[in-house]
Each structure stands twice: as structure tokens, then as C-alpha cells.
Amino acid sequence: MEWVNETLVREFVFLGFSSLAGLQQLLFAVFLVVYLFTLSTNAIIISTIVLDRALHTPMYFFLAVLSCFETCYTFIIVPKMLVDLLAQKKTISFLGCAIQMFSFLFLGCSHSFLLAAMGYDRYVAICDPLRYTVLMDYGMCLGLVAAACACGFTVSLVTTSLVFHLPFHSSNQLHHFFCDISPVLKLASHYSRLSQLVIFMLGVFALIIPLLLILVSYIRIISAILKISSSVGRYKAFSTCASHLIVVTVHYGCASFIYLRPKSNYSSSQDALISVSYTILTPLFNPMIYSLRNKEFKSALRRAMVQTSYPVN
């Protein structure tokens, strides 16, 4: 084992896939294909929304921002993971680890608050449709995204500062494939109850508060849908929310499993498995859930493809 005794840890060694040494080349190929497909899918979604004026609505504006978040989130983690799968020495510097943790926490927390903003957008569209264009104008949409980013920045800055101000004098072997909170904290020489409580409360703030806001929105949405007399009308109203509900369930399910468990229940192998799902698979499926089952988006995509293939001079 590799130990750093009585000196500060200057780098960390990733051991996330060490138990799958014989499969690392296969994992590299699979993860590379998924990563490239994720990048191309999000690029298509963003460019289609930007190019087609019919999609210049609050819902698609938030979807474009969501795709940007997903793209940046994977860029923070996946390229380094792919390199490490083929490298003999799987290390990251102390500063690089701190930057990686701050970046993915910022994007992940901003993602949570963005989902709350998207829930509010669906609430206004269904419960107050006559004033929808007034209440959800461009300024309001930008304000909601800015607020989501501000909350994400605050949580990530405080959490990263608390974690990396702890002393690291013992092992530098990180049982993960990126610098997540709990694996890094396990390597700290001293971890006070106050730091543990503050980090846990920040996790609650970043996960529970947006989830409560989403629940409030959907309680009112369901109440409004039940008042619609026709079954066709109720179906159309609910179908506009189905994609958002699926993404919320996946996001909060994975995040709560990782960040809201008691410290004694942490399992390195379970955490790595769940982390693969929300760092590689979720960024692939989330935009697809929103776009591929959406007739309006598919029509816009076909128009964009025709314009690209046969440009008007």
C-alpha cells in the first residue's frame, strides 16, 4: 500500500476500478462510446433549440441549460476517468482534486435548483396559462437560472473549503474514480462532528429544499389537472410534466442515496456503482427523456436537419 506518513498529502491515487483490472480496457471502450454519444446528443439538443424559433420558450430554454450542465458535468469527470482506465499511475494532484470537487458540486447543486425552476415553469404553464408569457418572460428565466447557479456556487464553495482545509496526513489512496465528498473525507486525519454536520446540512439544502419546491409545484399542478373535465385534456396536461418527473426521480434518487446516508452506511463499491450511473448514464438519458418523447422537439429537429441539408440561399 502507498502511505504518506507525517507529511501533507500532495496527490491522491484513484482505486475506483482496481478490482476490475482485467476489464479496464473494455470499460474504457464502453464509457468512451457512451461519453461521445452523450456529447453529441446534448450538442444536437442545444443547437436545435438555438436554431429553431418555435422552441424559444421557457421550457426549452431550461432544457438547453440542463443540457449544458450535463455536458459540463461529464467533462469534469469522464475524460480523467477514461485516461486513468488506461494509465498505470492513476493520480490527481491535491489542488486538482479540490477543483474537480468544486466543479462537480457546483454543477450538481445548480442542476438540483434548475429542476426546481423547471417545476415552477410547469406550474405556471398549467395553473396560470393566461399569464404564462408574462410571468415566465426572458428576464424571469435568466433570473431563475442565475439563482440556481448562485445556490450551487455557494454550496460547492463552502463544502470544498471545509473538506480541503482538513489535514491529510495518512493514506492517499482514494477508493473512487473521482474526488467525491465521502471518499475524500475518509482520508482526512481529523474530521470534526461540526464539519460533518455542516457538510450534511449543505447536502440537505441542495437536495431537500429544491425537492420540496418541486413537490409544492406538483401538488398544485395535480390539483389543477384534476379540475379539467375531459380525460384528453388531463392527459395532455400531465404529459407535459412526465419527462420532468422522470428526471427528478432519477436525479434525487441517486443523489440522496450517495449524500444523505449516515456516514456508517458508506460503501466504496456501492458508491462507485451509483456514481457511474449519475456521472455517465444519467447525463445521457436526461436530455433524451425530455427531447425524444417530445413531438414538438422532434419536428424542430427534422426542420433543422432539412435546413442543414438544403440551406436556403
Side-chain angles (χ1 to χ4, degrees):
M1 294 181 65
E2 187 174 347
W3 297 87
V4 183
N5 293 320
E6 302 302 328
T7 58
L8 291 176
V9 170
R10 299 188 182 277
E11 67 178 16
F12 295 101
V13 180
F14 290 126
L15 301 178
F17 298 108
S18 58
S19 61
L20 301 172
L23 298 174
Q24 293 196 8
Q25 291 185 348
L26 176 61
L27 290 175
F28 172 84
V30 172
F31 291 158
L32 178 61
V33 170
V34 173
Y35 179 57
L36 293 177
F37 192 71
T38 300
L39 292 181
S40 59
T41 301
N42 283 293
I44 290 171
I45 290 171
I46 294 169
S47 58
T48 302
I49 293 172
V50 170
L51 293 174
D52 197 295
R53 294 186 63 86
L55 300 184
H56 291 183
T57 63
M59 184 178 77
Y60 291 105
F61 171 78
F62 289 130
L63 176 57
V65 176
L66 178 69
S67 293
C68 288
F69 282 177
E70 302 285 12
T71 302
C72 295
Y73 188 90
T74 56
F75 183 75
I76 295 298
I77 297 172
V78 178
K80 171 63 176 168
M81 181 193 68
L82 291 172
V83 171
D84 287 342
L85 282 170
L86 299 182
Q88 293 295 323
K89 189 178 181 182
K90 311 174 193 302
T91 60
I92 188 171
S93 67
F94 189 86
L95 177 60
C97 190
I99 293 173
Q100 187 184 61
M101 181 181 289
F102 170 82
S103 301
F104 93 81
L105 282 178
F106 166 65
L107 292 166
C109 295
S110 299
H111 186 283
S112 293
F113 286 98
L114 180 65
L115 289 177
M118 296 172 81
Y120 175 73
D121 170 67
R122 292 299 84 207
Y123 158 72
V124 176
I126 293 174
C127 298
D128 200 355
L130 297 179
R131 296 200 300 158
Y132 177 69
T133 55
V134 176
L135 295 176
M136 296 300 297
D137 61 4
Y138 188 64
M140 172 61 77
C141 293
L142 283 179
L144 290 173
V145 172
C149 291
C151 291
F153 178 84
T154 302
V155 172
S156 60
L157 181 63
V158 175
T159 303
T160 306
S161 299
L162 285 172
V163 171
F164 285 91
H165 273 84
L166 296 171
F168 292 86
H169 296 289
S170 56
S171 173
N172 67 343
Q173 296 187 343
L174 196 65
H175 290 273
H176 215 328
F177 59 89
F178 72 98
C179 293
D180 207 351
I181 299 172
S182 59
V184 174
L185 286 176
K186 287 182 179 180
L187 303 183
S189 304
H190 176 68
Y191 182 30
S192 68
R193 289 184 177 275
L194 178 60
S195 297
Q196 182 180 357
L197 179 62
V198 171
I199 292 173
F200 179 79
M201 292 307 297
L202 288 170
V204 170
F205 172 75
L207 292 173
I208 301 301
I209 290 181
L211 183 58
L212 289 175
L213 294 174
I214 292 171
L215 288 175
V216 170
S217 295
Y218 274 100
I219 288 172
R220 298 195 173 189
I221 286 172
I222 292 171
S223 176
I225 290 176
L226 292 176
K227 294 177 182 179
I228 299 175
S229 57
S230 68
S231 58
V232 175
R234 287 195 298 268
Y235 174 78
K236 287 183 177 180
F238 185 76
S239 64
T240 64
C241 305
S243 298
H244 183 251
L245 281 174
I246 295 171
V247 172
V248 166
T249 301
V250 173
H251 174 77
Y252 284 100
C254 293
S256 298
F257 182 85
I258 292 291
Y259 298 111
L260 297 183
R261 288 177 299 160
K263 187 181 178 183
S264 58
N265 290 345
Y266 286 143
S267 167
S268 298
S269 58
Q270 286 182 344
D271 284 3
L273 181 62
I274 298 297
S275 296
V276 166
S277 69
Y278 75 75
T279 57
I280 299 176
L281 299 180
T282 302
L284 170 65
F285 292 132
N286 281 355
M288 292 175 64
I289 290 169
Y290 263 104
S291 58
L292 296 185
R293 64 185 307 275
N294 187 303
K295 293 181 180 179
E296 187 178 15
F297 180 85
K298 287 189 286 188
S299 298
L301 179 59
R302 284 192 291 268
R303 288 195 297 271
M305 293 174 64
V306 170
Q307 290 176 4
T308 303
S309 303
Y310 306 100
V312 178
N313 295 324

PDB file of all heavy atoms in Angstrom, residues 256-286:
ATOM      1  N   SER A 256     -29.621  11.335  -3.308  1.00  0.00           N
ATOM      2  CA  SER A 256     -29.978  11.087  -1.910  1.00  0.00           C
ATOM      3  C   SER A 256     -29.299   9.834  -1.389  1.00  0.00           C
ATOM      4  O   SER A 256     -28.854   9.788  -0.237  1.00  0.00           O
ATOM      5  CB  SER A 256     -31.499  10.949  -1.768  1.00  0.00           C
ATOM      6  OG  SER A 256     -32.146  12.144  -2.153  1.00  0.00           O
ATOM      7  N   PHE A 257     -29.189   8.816  -2.229  1.00  0.00           N
ATOM      8  CA  PHE A 257     -28.517   7.580  -1.814  1.00  0.00           C
ATOM      9  C   PHE A 257     -27.057   7.847  -1.468  1.00  0.00           C
ATOM     10  O   PHE A 257     -26.515   7.281  -0.515  1.00  0.00           O
ATOM     11  CB  PHE A 257     -28.613   6.537  -2.924  1.00  0.00           C
ATOM     12  CG  PHE A 257     -27.994   5.213  -2.571  1.00  0.00           C
ATOM     13  CD1 PHE A 257     -28.727   4.259  -1.881  1.00  0.00           C
ATOM     14  CD2 PHE A 257     -26.685   4.926  -2.916  1.00  0.00           C
ATOM     15  CE1 PHE A 257     -28.163   3.039  -1.548  1.00  0.00           C
ATOM     16  CE2 PHE A 257     -26.114   3.705  -2.588  1.00  0.00           C
ATOM     17  CZ  PHE A 257     -26.849   2.759  -1.894  1.00  0.00           C
ATOM     18  N   ILE A 258     -26.412   8.719  -2.231  1.00  0.00           N
ATOM     19  CA  ILE A 258     -24.994   8.986  -2.012  1.00  0.00           C
ATOM     20  C   ILE A 258     -24.763   9.957  -0.859  1.00  0.00           C
ATOM     21  O   ILE A 258     -23.917   9.729   0.020  1.00  0.00           O
ATOM     22  CB  ILE A 258     -24.348   9.561  -3.294  1.00  0.00           C
ATOM     23  CG1 ILE A 258     -24.320   8.481  -4.373  1.00  0.00           C
ATOM     24  CG2 ILE A 258     -22.946  10.077  -3.027  1.00  0.00           C
ATOM     25  CD1 ILE A 258     -23.369   7.340  -4.116  1.00  0.00           C
ATOM     26  N   TYR A 259     -25.521  11.062  -0.797  1.00  0.00           N
ATOM     27  CA  TYR A 259     -25.149  12.178   0.069  1.00  0.00           C
ATOM     28  C   TYR A 259     -25.979  12.325   1.333  1.00  0.00           C
ATOM     29  O   TYR A 259     -25.597  13.097   2.219  1.00  0.00           O
ATOM     30  CB  TYR A 259     -25.212  13.485  -0.731  1.00  0.00           C
ATOM     31  CG  TYR A 259     -24.252  13.507  -1.880  1.00  0.00           C
ATOM     32  CD1 TYR A 259     -24.701  13.461  -3.199  1.00  0.00           C
ATOM     33  CD2 TYR A 259     -22.879  13.530  -1.662  1.00  0.00           C
ATOM     34  CE1 TYR A 259     -23.823  13.451  -4.256  1.00  0.00           C
ATOM     35  CE2 TYR A 259     -21.996  13.528  -2.718  1.00  0.00           C
ATOM     36  CZ  TYR A 259     -22.460  13.484  -4.014  1.00  0.00           C
ATOM     37  OH  TYR A 259     -21.575  13.467  -5.055  1.00  0.00           O
ATOM     38  N   LEU A 260     -27.094  11.630   1.450  1.00  0.00           N
ATOM     39  CA  LEU A 260     -27.935  11.806   2.631  1.00  0.00           C
ATOM     40  C   LEU A 260     -27.999  10.564   3.510  1.00  0.00           C
ATOM     41  O   LEU A 260     -28.875  10.445   4.345  1.00  0.00           O
ATOM     42  CB  LEU A 260     -29.359  12.213   2.209  1.00  0.00           C
ATOM     43  CG  LEU A 260     -29.479  13.555   1.491  1.00  0.00           C
ATOM     44  CD1 LEU A 260     -30.935  13.878   1.198  1.00  0.00           C
ATOM     45  CD2 LEU A 260     -28.834  14.681   2.295  1.00  0.00           C
ATOM     46  N   ARG A 261     -27.033   9.654   3.340  1.00  0.00           N
ATOM     47  CA  ARG A 261     -26.963   8.485   4.219  1.00  0.00           C
ATOM     48  C   ARG A 261     -26.082   8.780   5.419  1.00  0.00           C
ATOM     49  O   ARG A 261     -25.190   9.630   5.347  1.00  0.00           O
ATOM     50  CB  ARG A 261     -26.363   7.286   3.476  1.00  0.00           C
ATOM     51  CG  ARG A 261     -27.260   6.672   2.450  1.00  0.00           C
ATOM     52  CD  ARG A 261     -26.523   5.555   1.751  1.00  0.00           C
ATOM     53  NE  ARG A 261     -25.331   6.082   1.068  1.00  0.00           N
ATOM     54  CZ  ARG A 261     -24.301   5.330   0.703  1.00  0.00           C
ATOM     55  NH1 ARG A 261     -24.290   4.052   0.975  1.00  0.00           N
ATOM     56  NH2 ARG A 261     -23.280   5.864   0.072  1.00  0.00           N
ATOM     57  N   PRO A 262     -26.299   8.083   6.534  1.00  0.00           N
ATOM     58  CA  PRO A 262     -25.367   8.195   7.652  1.00  0.00           C
ATOM     59  C   PRO A 262     -23.980   7.747   7.225  1.00  0.00           C
ATOM     60  O   PRO A 262     -23.816   6.888   6.360  1.00  0.00           O
ATOM     61  CB  PRO A 262     -25.953   7.233   8.712  1.00  0.00           C
ATOM     62  CG  PRO A 262     -27.374   7.078   8.332  1.00  0.00           C
ATOM     63  CD  PRO A 262     -27.438   7.218   6.836  1.00  0.00           C
ATOM     64  N   LYS A 263     -22.948   8.327   7.854  1.00  0.00           N
ATOM     65  CA  LYS A 263     -21.573   8.034   7.484  1.00  0.00           C
ATOM     66  C   LYS A 263     -21.248   6.553   7.632  1.00  0.00           C
ATOM     67  O   LYS A 263     -20.475   5.982   6.863  1.00  0.00           O
ATOM     68  CB  LYS A 263     -20.627   8.871   8.347  1.00  0.00           C
ATOM     69  CG  LYS A 263     -19.163   8.775   7.946  1.00  0.00           C
ATOM     70  CD  LYS A 263     -18.299   9.609   8.870  1.00  0.00           C
ATOM     71  CE  LYS A 263     -16.824   9.481   8.507  1.00  0.00           C
ATOM     72  NZ  LYS A 263     -15.961  10.220   9.446  1.00  0.00           N
ATOM     73  N   SER A 264     -21.857   5.891   8.617  1.00  0.00           N
ATOM     74  CA  SER A 264     -21.565   4.482   8.883  1.00  0.00           C
ATOM     75  C   SER A 264     -22.053   3.560   7.772  1.00  0.00           C
ATOM     76  O   SER A 264     -21.618   2.417   7.660  1.00  0.00           O
ATOM     77  CB  SER A 264     -22.205   4.046  10.204  1.00  0.00           C
ATOM     78  OG  SER A 264     -23.604   4.251  10.150  1.00  0.00           O
ATOM     79  N   ASN A 265     -22.950   4.066   6.917  1.00  0.00           N
ATOM     80  CA  ASN A 265     -23.518   3.236   5.855  1.00  0.00           C
ATOM     81  C   ASN A 265     -22.784   3.363   4.532  1.00  0.00           C
ATOM     82  O   ASN A 265     -23.217   2.810   3.531  1.00  0.00           O
ATOM     83  CB  ASN A 265     -25.001   3.591   5.649  1.00  0.00           C
ATOM     84  CG  ASN A 265     -25.859   3.138   6.800  1.00  0.00           C
ATOM     85  OD1 ASN A 265     -25.436   2.327   7.621  1.00  0.00           O
ATOM     86  ND2 ASN A 265     -27.075   3.672   6.894  1.00  0.00           N
ATOM     87  N   TYR A 266     -21.693   4.128   4.502  1.00  0.00           N
ATOM     88  CA  TYR A 266     -20.972   4.300   3.260  1.00  0.00           C
ATOM     89  C   TYR A 266     -20.308   2.995   2.824  1.00  0.00           C
ATOM     90  O   TYR A 266     -19.711   2.283   3.627  1.00  0.00           O
ATOM     91  CB  TYR A 266     -19.887   5.384   3.394  1.00  0.00           C
ATOM     92  CG  TYR A 266     -20.425   6.788   3.426  1.00  0.00           C
ATOM     93  CD1 TYR A 266     -19.845   7.750   4.248  1.00  0.00           C
ATOM     94  CD2 TYR A 266     -21.500   7.161   2.634  1.00  0.00           C
ATOM     95  CE1 TYR A 266     -20.332   9.038   4.287  1.00  0.00           C
ATOM     96  CE2 TYR A 266     -21.997   8.446   2.663  1.00  0.00           C
ATOM     97  CZ  TYR A 266     -21.401   9.387   3.498  1.00  0.00           C
ATOM     98  OH  TYR A 266     -21.878  10.666   3.538  1.00  0.00           O
ATOM     99  N   SER A 267     -20.411   2.673   1.567  1.00  0.00           N
ATOM    100  CA  SER A 267     -19.751   1.508   0.981  1.00  0.00           C
ATOM    101  C   SER A 267     -19.060   1.966  -0.292  1.00  0.00           C
ATOM    102  O   SER A 267     -19.707   2.490  -1.196  1.00  0.00           O
ATOM    103  CB  SER A 267     -20.763   0.413   0.676  1.00  0.00           C
ATOM    104  OG  SER A 267     -20.196  -0.579  -0.141  1.00  0.00           O
ATOM    105  N   SER A 268     -17.737   1.792  -0.360  1.00  0.00           N
ATOM    106  CA  SER A 268     -16.980   2.282  -1.510  1.00  0.00           C
ATOM    107  C   SER A 268     -17.462   1.659  -2.806  1.00  0.00           C
ATOM    108  O   SER A 268     -17.598   2.340  -3.831  1.00  0.00           O
ATOM    109  CB  SER A 268     -15.488   1.994  -1.305  1.00  0.00           C
ATOM    110  OG  SER A 268     -15.000   2.664  -0.164  1.00  0.00           O
ATOM    111  N   SER A 269     -17.723   0.342  -2.792  1.00  0.00           N
ATOM    112  CA  SER A 269     -18.153  -0.333  -4.014  1.00  0.00           C
ATOM    113  C   SER A 269     -19.540   0.128  -4.450  1.00  0.00           C
ATOM    114  O   SER A 269     -19.792   0.359  -5.639  1.00  0.00           O
ATOM    115  CB  SER A 269     -18.144  -1.848  -3.806  1.00  0.00           C
ATOM    116  OG  SER A 269     -18.993  -2.214  -2.729  1.00  0.00           O
ATOM    117  N   GLN A 270     -20.473   0.287  -3.491  1.00  0.00           N
ATOM    118  CA  GLN A 270     -21.814   0.764  -3.829  1.00  0.00           C
ATOM    119  C   GLN A 270     -21.764   2.196  -4.345  1.00  0.00           C
ATOM    120  O   GLN A 270     -22.425   2.539  -5.339  1.00  0.00           O
ATOM    121  CB  GLN A 270     -22.726   0.685  -2.612  1.00  0.00           C
ATOM    122  CG  GLN A 270     -23.176  -0.715  -2.251  1.00  0.00           C
ATOM    123  CD  GLN A 270     -24.121  -0.717  -1.070  1.00  0.00           C
ATOM    124  OE1 GLN A 270     -24.219   0.277  -0.337  1.00  0.00           O
ATOM    125  NE2 GLN A 270     -24.824  -1.809  -0.872  1.00  0.00           N
ATOM    126  N   ASP A 271     -20.983   3.049  -3.675  1.00  0.00           N
ATOM    127  CA  ASP A 271     -20.880   4.438  -4.092  1.00  0.00           C
ATOM    128  C   ASP A 271     -20.324   4.544  -5.506  1.00  0.00           C
ATOM    129  O   ASP A 271     -20.806   5.346  -6.322  1.00  0.00           O
ATOM    130  CB  ASP A 271     -19.976   5.210  -3.127  1.00  0.00           C
ATOM    131  CG  ASP A 271     -20.676   5.517  -1.817  1.00  0.00           C
ATOM    132  OD1 ASP A 271     -21.837   5.080  -1.654  1.00  0.00           O
ATOM    133  OD2 ASP A 271     -20.066   6.167  -0.953  1.00  0.00           O
ATOM    134  N   ALA A 272     -19.302   3.736  -5.825  1.00  0.00           N
ATOM    135  CA  ALA A 272     -18.715   3.790  -7.163  1.00  0.00           C
ATOM    136  C   ALA A 272     -19.728   3.360  -8.212  1.00  0.00           C
ATOM    137  O   ALA A 272     -19.831   3.969  -9.284  1.00  0.00           O
ATOM    138  CB  ALA A 272     -17.469   2.905  -7.224  1.00  0.00           C
ATOM    139  N   LEU A 273     -20.507   2.331  -7.900  1.00  0.00           N
ATOM    140  CA  LEU A 273     -21.507   1.841  -8.848  1.00  0.00           C
ATOM    141  C   LEU A 273     -22.589   2.886  -9.097  1.00  0.00           C
ATOM    142  O   LEU A 273     -22.952   3.164 -10.252  1.00  0.00           O
ATOM    143  CB  LEU A 273     -22.136   0.552  -8.316  1.00  0.00           C
ATOM    144  CG  LEU A 273     -23.197  -0.106  -9.201  1.00  0.00           C
ATOM    145  CD1 LEU A 273     -22.585  -0.518 -10.537  1.00  0.00           C
ATOM    146  CD2 LEU A 273     -23.814  -1.307  -8.503  1.00  0.00           C
ATOM    147  N   ILE A 274     -23.117   3.487  -8.018  1.00  0.00           N
ATOM    148  CA  ILE A 274     -24.135   4.526  -8.166  1.00  0.00           C
ATOM    149  C   ILE A 274     -23.549   5.747  -8.865  1.00  0.00           C
ATOM    150  O   ILE A 274     -24.203   6.382  -9.707  1.00  0.00           O
ATOM    151  CB  ILE A 274     -24.711   4.917  -6.800  1.00  0.00           C
ATOM    152  CG1 ILE A 274     -25.409   3.718  -6.148  1.00  0.00           C
ATOM    153  CG2 ILE A 274     -25.689   6.072  -6.930  1.00  0.00           C
ATOM    154  CD1 ILE A 274     -26.600   3.206  -6.926  1.00  0.00           C
ATOM    155  N   SER A 275     -22.287   6.075  -8.557  1.00  0.00           N
ATOM    156  CA  SER A 275     -21.652   7.243  -9.173  1.00  0.00           C
ATOM    157  C   SER A 275     -21.515   7.072 -10.673  1.00  0.00           C
ATOM    158  O   SER A 275     -21.635   8.039 -11.432  1.00  0.00           O
ATOM    159  CB  SER A 275     -20.282   7.494  -8.542  1.00  0.00           C
ATOM    160  OG  SER A 275     -20.402   7.813  -7.173  1.00  0.00           O
ATOM    161  N   VAL A 276     -21.244   5.845 -11.130  1.00  0.00           N
ATOM    162  CA  VAL A 276     -21.177   5.594 -12.570  1.00  0.00           C
ATOM    163  C   VAL A 276     -22.511   5.937 -13.224  1.00  0.00           C
ATOM    164  O   VAL A 276     -22.560   6.525 -14.307  1.00  0.00           O
ATOM    165  CB  VAL A 276     -20.801   4.120 -12.844  1.00  0.00           C
ATOM    166  CG1 VAL A 276     -21.059   3.764 -14.305  1.00  0.00           C
ATOM    167  CG2 VAL A 276     -19.345   3.876 -12.509  1.00  0.00           C
ATOM    168  N   SER A 277     -23.606   5.614 -12.532  1.00  0.00           N
ATOM    169  CA  SER A 277     -24.931   5.862 -13.107  1.00  0.00           C
ATOM    170  C   SER A 277     -25.202   7.352 -13.252  1.00  0.00           C
ATOM    171  O   SER A 277     -25.711   7.796 -14.281  1.00  0.00           O
ATOM    172  CB  SER A 277     -26.016   5.200 -12.250  1.00  0.00           C
ATOM    173  OG  SER A 277     -26.152   5.841 -11.009  1.00  0.00           O
ATOM    174  N   TYR A 278     -24.851   8.166 -12.224  1.00  0.00           N
ATOM    175  CA  TYR A 278     -25.217   9.578 -12.337  1.00  0.00           C
ATOM    176  C   TYR A 278     -24.132  10.448 -12.951  1.00  0.00           C
ATOM    177  O   TYR A 278     -24.380  11.627 -13.236  1.00  0.00           O
ATOM    178  CB  TYR A 278     -25.694  10.141 -10.991  1.00  0.00           C
ATOM    179  CG  TYR A 278     -24.656  10.426  -9.936  1.00  0.00           C
ATOM    180  CD1 TYR A 278     -23.816  11.526 -10.011  1.00  0.00           C
ATOM    181  CD2 TYR A 278     -24.552   9.623  -8.810  1.00  0.00           C
ATOM    182  CE1 TYR A 278     -22.888  11.803  -9.031  1.00  0.00           C
ATOM    183  CE2 TYR A 278     -23.637   9.892  -7.813  1.00  0.00           C
ATOM    184  CZ  TYR A 278     -22.800  10.977  -7.932  1.00  0.00           C
ATOM    185  OH  TYR A 278     -21.885  11.239  -6.953  1.00  0.00           O
ATOM    186  N   THR A 279     -22.944   9.908 -13.211  1.00  0.00           N
ATOM    187  CA  THR A 279     -21.921  10.687 -13.914  1.00  0.00           C
ATOM    188  C   THR A 279     -21.829  10.326 -15.387  1.00  0.00           C
ATOM    189  O   THR A 279     -21.330  11.122 -16.186  1.00  0.00           O
ATOM    190  CB  THR A 279     -20.532  10.497 -13.272  1.00  0.00           C
ATOM    191  OG1 THR A 279     -20.210   9.097 -13.257  1.00  0.00           O
ATOM    192  CG2 THR A 279     -20.506  11.029 -11.863  1.00  0.00           C
ATOM    193  N   ILE A 280     -22.300   9.132 -15.760  1.00  0.00           N
ATOM    194  CA  ILE A 280     -22.174   8.681 -17.145  1.00  0.00           C
ATOM    195  C   ILE A 280     -23.540   8.420 -17.781  1.00  0.00           C
ATOM    196  O   ILE A 280     -23.830   8.918 -18.871  1.00  0.00           O
ATOM    197  CB  ILE A 280     -21.312   7.403 -17.221  1.00  0.00           C
ATOM    198  CG1 ILE A 280     -19.902   7.694 -16.698  1.00  0.00           C
ATOM    199  CG2 ILE A 280     -21.245   6.879 -18.655  1.00  0.00           C
ATOM    200  CD1 ILE A 280     -19.005   6.481 -16.632  1.00  0.00           C
ATOM    201  N   LEU A 281     -24.391   7.672 -17.096  1.00  0.00           N
ATOM    202  CA  LEU A 281     -25.663   7.269 -17.702  1.00  0.00           C
ATOM    203  C   LEU A 281     -26.734   8.350 -17.606  1.00  0.00           C
ATOM    204  O   LEU A 281     -27.434   8.627 -18.586  1.00  0.00           O
ATOM    205  CB  LEU A 281     -26.160   5.977 -17.043  1.00  0.00           C
ATOM    206  CG  LEU A 281     -25.225   4.765 -17.193  1.00  0.00           C
ATOM    207  CD1 LEU A 281     -25.819   3.555 -16.499  1.00  0.00           C
ATOM    208  CD2 LEU A 281     -24.953   4.457 -18.661  1.00  0.00           C
ATOM    209  N   THR A 282     -26.871   8.970 -16.426  1.00  0.00           N
ATOM    210  CA  THR A 282     -27.907   9.985 -16.246  1.00  0.00           C
ATOM    211  C   THR A 282     -27.746  11.170 -17.203  1.00  0.00           C
ATOM    212  O   THR A 282     -28.732  11.618 -17.799  1.00  0.00           O
ATOM    213  CB  THR A 282     -27.939  10.473 -14.791  1.00  0.00           C
ATOM    214  OG1 THR A 282     -28.167   9.358 -13.932  1.00  0.00           O
ATOM    215  CG2 THR A 282     -29.042  11.501 -14.577  1.00  0.00           C
ATOM    216  N   PRO A 283     -26.523  11.720 -17.383  1.00  0.00           N
ATOM    217  CA  PRO A 283     -26.378  12.815 -18.356  1.00  0.00           C
ATOM    218  C   PRO A 283     -26.730  12.404 -19.780  1.00  0.00           C
ATOM    219  O   PRO A 283     -27.035  13.265 -20.603  1.00  0.00           O
ATOM    220  CB  PRO A 283     -24.879  13.171 -18.249  1.00  0.00           C
ATOM    221  CG  PRO A 283     -24.493  12.767 -16.874  1.00  0.00           C
ATOM    222  CD  PRO A 283     -25.280  11.516 -16.620  1.00  0.00           C
ATOM    223  N   LEU A 284     -26.686  11.102 -20.066  1.00  0.00           N
ATOM    224  CA  LEU A 284     -27.096  10.632 -21.386  1.00  0.00           C
ATOM    225  C   LEU A 284     -28.612  10.555 -21.503  1.00  0.00           C
ATOM    226  O   LEU A 284     -29.200  10.997 -22.494  1.00  0.00           O
ATOM    227  CB  LEU A 284     -26.487   9.248 -21.653  1.00  0.00           C
ATOM    228  CG  LEU A 284     -27.004   8.490 -22.880  1.00  0.00           C
ATOM    229  CD1 LEU A 284     -26.631   9.233 -24.160  1.00  0.00           C
ATOM    230  CD2 LEU A 284     -26.447   7.079 -22.906  1.00  0.00           C
ATOM    231  N   PHE A 285     -29.263  10.025 -20.472  1.00  0.00           N
ATOM    232  CA  PHE A 285     -30.696   9.768 -20.553  1.00  0.00           C
ATOM    233  C   PHE A 285     -31.552  11.006 -20.311  1.00  0.00           C
ATOM    234  O   PHE A 285     -32.627  11.133 -20.902  1.00  0.00           O
ATOM    235  CB  PHE A 285     -31.093   8.674 -19.561  1.00  0.00           C
ATOM    236  CG  PHE A 285     -30.555   7.321 -19.917  1.00  0.00           C
ATOM    237  CD1 PHE A 285     -29.923   6.525 -18.974  1.00  0.00           C
ATOM    238  CD2 PHE A 285     -30.671   6.840 -21.204  1.00  0.00           C
ATOM    239  CE1 PHE A 285     -29.424   5.272 -19.307  1.00  0.00           C
ATOM    240  CE2 PHE A 285     -30.178   5.588 -21.554  1.00  0.00           C
ATOM    241  CZ  PHE A 285     -29.550   4.812 -20.603  1.00  0.00           C
ATOM    242  N   ASN A 286     -31.111  11.920 -19.444  1.00  0.00           N
ATOM    243  CA  ASN A 286     -31.945  13.065 -19.099  1.00  0.00           C
ATOM    244  C   ASN A 286     -32.375  13.890 -20.317  1.00  0.00           C
ATOM    245  O   ASN A 286     -33.571  14.121 -20.520  1.00  0.00           O
ATOM    246  CB  ASN A 286     -31.238  13.956 -18.081  1.00  0.00           C
ATOM    247  CG  ASN A 286     -31.329  13.397 -16.677  1.00  0.00           C
ATOM    248  OD1 ASN A 286     -32.000  12.395 -16.440  1.00  0.00           O
ATOM    249  ND2 ASN A 286     -30.663  14.026 -15.733  1.00  0.00           N
TER     250      ASN A 286
END
